[in-house]
Amino acid sequence: MENNIKIDLKATEKFVSEQEFSNYINSALKAFDTLEGRKGKGSEYLGWMNLPSKTSEELISDCEKVAKRWAGVELVVVIGIGGSYLGAKSALDALSHSFQTHLGRKTPQIVFAGQNVSEEYLAELIDLMSVKSVACIVISKSGTTTEPAVAFRIIKNFLEEKYGRRDAAIRIVAITDASKGALKVLADNEGYTTFVIPDDIGGRFSVLTPVGLVPLAVAGFDIRYLLKGAADMENICSERSPDNPAVIYAAIRNALYNNGKKVELLVTYNPKLQYVAEWWKQLFGESEGKEGKGIFPASVNFTSDLHSMGQYIQQGERIIFETVISVKKSNRSLLSNSDSQNLDGLNFISDKHLDVCNKMAELGTKIAHYDGGVPNIKIEIPSINEYNLGSLYYFFEKACGISAYMLGVNPFDQPGVEDYKINMFALLGKPGYEKREQELKGRF
Ligand code: PA5
């Protein structure tokens, strides 16, 4: 099996010596042992590690059955936040035609809710739901996360009013905890089709569970191919070797971090990958940002953001390194054309593929940023499809586990996320939070 993810570290060599890198590879291999040996912090949450190779045919065909059942549905609202949102959103954006809504493609249009509490957003979504045939996938492991729970209350109510309670139940799929949790109880009471988020898989590691699989299947994508890519990468990343791509990536980012590069910019050159970067930010940010430590994960989409963030990256504080997701081959072909007036002076690129221009922008930027003090890690995938995306998700998950153990933190908890929730509940007057409410009122 060929490794479809190629890592190029040439543009980091000026910043990390060969000897230093080799030391970091050794620490990465130790962290790899901790992860594989299930001996590290949070090791009760390692269900994602062998998930791709262990996903049952039954689960895959259950996902596909939902897609068949909803074949005539025009709009599917996927409700979820954080790890119960970004995986599906990133895969759908990456794989879909950029303008499929405008083209009126046949597969149901997928939209998201519950990832914010904007009144305007949800009210406008209801405008859309009012003129379409609608179904809903609600994703929440706990079932009590405020944002999706609020959205689901409203959308469930809307569906019941529109279709009646019994028909609404056929139009709702719940993806939640196996046994505990409010959503599980509701789903059982109402008779919704239910999928399980395994207990040993946290939200940000759940893209290859039904959390990602059901929305993707419903949107008409090949989830078998996605899982095949992930399973092949699972195999590659299980090797205890300095050539393991997850080991290499974990090693270099920790080496750069300890050399003062505190911010990692995930760079994409295709707008379809912007949400892959959002997913990646959550994965690394929530896994590593704790105990006063962690690389700050940020992202840019070039060339757009070269016209907004390019100046800072080139000449601002020298605390940044870049990790570029480079896509070798574009799925579409389009040539630049010649113009008889040539007023913009661009005839020199006529008859060139736009992807060649994009690649030269990528190389030119890499050299400019490198010369300006920004190390560059290149992660190349052959093209954007289900297989390569599955590989990429798994690769980043494995690298994240290794990298966080190198840093000495628990990759699988997120204690800091609770603080805002407690304040929000107190400020909204949730019973039991009265003391906190008094403490907060009058501040700011
Ligand atoms: O990674 C995480 O654990 C979080 O982002 C959660 O997925 C997010 O808070 C949603 O939680 P839940 O699925 O319980 O609604």
Side-chain angles (χ1 to χ4, degrees):
M1 171 199 332
E2 212 205 320
N3 178 3
N4 55 338
I5 291 184
K6 307 259 178 282
I7 304 188
D8 180 348
L9 300 184
K10 274 190 225 76
T12 64
E13 283 164 8
K14 186 167 84 177
F15 304 90
V16 178
S17 72
E18 213 174 303
Q19 181 56 51
E20 205 180 352
F21 181 59
S22 151
N23 295 341
Y24 275 93
I25 285 283
N26 288 334
S27 334
L29 286 170
K30 277 195 198 123
F32 172 90
D33 291 339
T34 307
L35 190 63
E36 290 283 327
R38 296 173 184 264
K39 293 181 291 223
K41 293 178 193 164
S43 60
E44 63 277 29
Y45 290 106
L46 294 179
W48 56 272
M49 270 218 303
N50 302 107
L51 179 75
S53 60
K54 284 200 173 140
T55 303
S56 67
E57 173 57 36
E58 192 190 346
L59 173 61
I60 297 171
S61 70
D62 282 349
C63 298
E64 291 167 343
K65 270 184 212 150
V66 177
K68 273 197 200 124
R69 194 212 300 168
W70 289 351
V73 167
E74 293 170 300
L75 182 77
V76 175
V77 183
V78 179
I79 301 175
I81 195 165
S84 292
Y85 158 61
L86 289 166
K89 170 73 176 159
S90 63
L92 285 163
D93 275 16
L95 297 170
S96 300
H97 191 292
S98 304
F99 304 101
Q100 84 170 8
T101 312
H102 305 279
L103 285 167
R105 292 270 158 115
K106 257 181 86 195
T107 48
Q109 188 189 340
I110 311 283
V111 290
F112 290 85
Q115 81 283 31
N116 61 62
V117 265
S118 160
E119 188 161 350
E120 208 162 319
Y121 181 92
L122 207 52
E124 288 175 2
L125 179 57
I126 286 170
D127 292 344
L128 179 65
M129 287 164 61
S130 305
V131 295
K132 298 274 181 189
S133 146
V134 190
C136 163
I137 301 170
V138 54
I139 310 173
S140 179
K141 193 168 177 179
S142 61
T144 51
T145 307
T146 311
E147 295 89 337
V150 166
F152 184 54
R153 271 182 180 230
I154 293 170
I155 289 168
K156 174 177 177 288
N157 190 47
F158 173 92
L159 292 175
E160 287 177 352
E161 279 180 1
K162 184 165 176 169
Y163 299 108
R165 195 164 163 193
R166 233 187 39 202
D167 282 2
I170 301 168
R171 291 171 179 268
I172 296 173
V173 163
I175 304 176
T176 187
D177 191 89
S179 52
K180 8 182 230 295
L183 183 56
K184 175 66 185 157
V185 175
L186 179 70
D188 287 348
N189 289 346
E190 300 289 333
Y192 302 154
T193 298
T194 308
F195 289 84
V196 168
I197 309 173
D199 275 350
D200 56 359
I201 302 183
R204 58 189 174 275
F205 289 83
S206 71
V207 58
L208 300 167
T209 71
V211 170
L213 299 180
V214 177
L216 278 171
V218 166
F221 293 109
D222 187 346
I223 56 173
R224 289 165 193 275
Y225 201 33
L226 179 92
L227 286 165
K228 171 85 177 101
D232 285 350
M233 191 46 62
E234 175 189 327
N235 201 5
I236 288 165
C237 290
S238 68
E239 293 285 313
R240 192 192 190 282
S241 154
D243 298 327
N244 178 328
V247 167
I248 293 173
Y249 180 50
I252 191 65
R253 60 197 299 285
N254 275 278
L256 291 166
Y257 176 61
N258 290 326
N259 282 333
K261 303 297 182 190
K262 306 290 184 196
V263 176
E264 180 175 11
L265 274 184
L266 194 79
V267 183
T268 51
Y269 279 84
N270 183 330
K272 286 183 174 188
L273 295 178
Q274 266 175 289
Y275 266 85
V276 171
E278 296 301 321
W279 170 86
W280 170 93
K281 284 197 292 205
Q282 189 203 356
L283 180 69
F284 280 90
E286 266 188 9
S287 301
E288 294 192 321
K290 49 197 76 158
E291 298 176 30
K293 297 191 261 191
I295 296 169
F296 183 81
S299 64
V300 282
N301 185 250
F302 289 165
T303 61
S304 311
D305 293 336
L306 285 169
H307 297 259
S308 55
M309 297 299 290
Q311 171 59 37
Y312 189 102
I313 300 166
Q314 187 71 46
Q315 294 182 333
E317 276 224 63
R318 302 297 71 197
I319 52 169
I320 297 171
F321 68 98
E322 289 177 328
T323 297
V324 178
I325 300 182
S326 181
V327 181
K328 193 165 184 197
K329 192 172 180 314
S330 166
N331 285 327
R332 299 293 297 269
S333 166
L334 190 65
L335 297 175
S336 175
N337 55 302
S338 170
D339 184 273
S340 57
Q341 294 188 71
N342 194 27
L343 292 175
D344 54 13
L346 284 177
N347 272 354
F348 72 99
I349 58 164
S350 61
D351 294 333
K352 277 197 170 58
H353 280 277
L354 285 197
D355 198 47
V356 171
C357 301
N358 209 15
K359 291 286 182 314
M360 290 310 106
E362 185 180 319
L363 181 59
T365 304
K366 174 177 177 164
I367 295 168
H369 290 181
Y370 175 82
D371 290 345
V374 179
N376 182 293
I377 302 167
K378 177 175 167 181
I379 295 176
E380 188 185 77
I381 58 170
S383 62
I384 300 176
N385 63 22
E386 288 94 330
Y387 182 90
N388 294 324
L389 212 51
S391 298
L392 198 62
Y393 286 134
Y394 189 87
F395 157 74
F396 277 134
E397 287 177 359
K398 190 71 181 261
C400 182
I402 298 170
S403 182
Y405 279 155
M406 289 177 78
L407 207 61
V409 298
N410 179 353
F412 308 113
D413 67 359
Q414 53 285 327
V417 182
E418 294 312 307
D419 293 359
Y420 99 90
K421 290 185 192 168
I422 294 165
N423 286 351
M424 181 172 80
F425 287 149
L427 290 166
L428 283 168
K430 185 172 178 174
Y433 290 71
E434 294 78 6
K435 192 163 166 266
R436 182 81 166 191
E437 187 184 359
Q438 287 317 312
E439 282 163 19
L440 296 178
K441 287 253 159 93
R443 284 187 62 189
F444 307 119

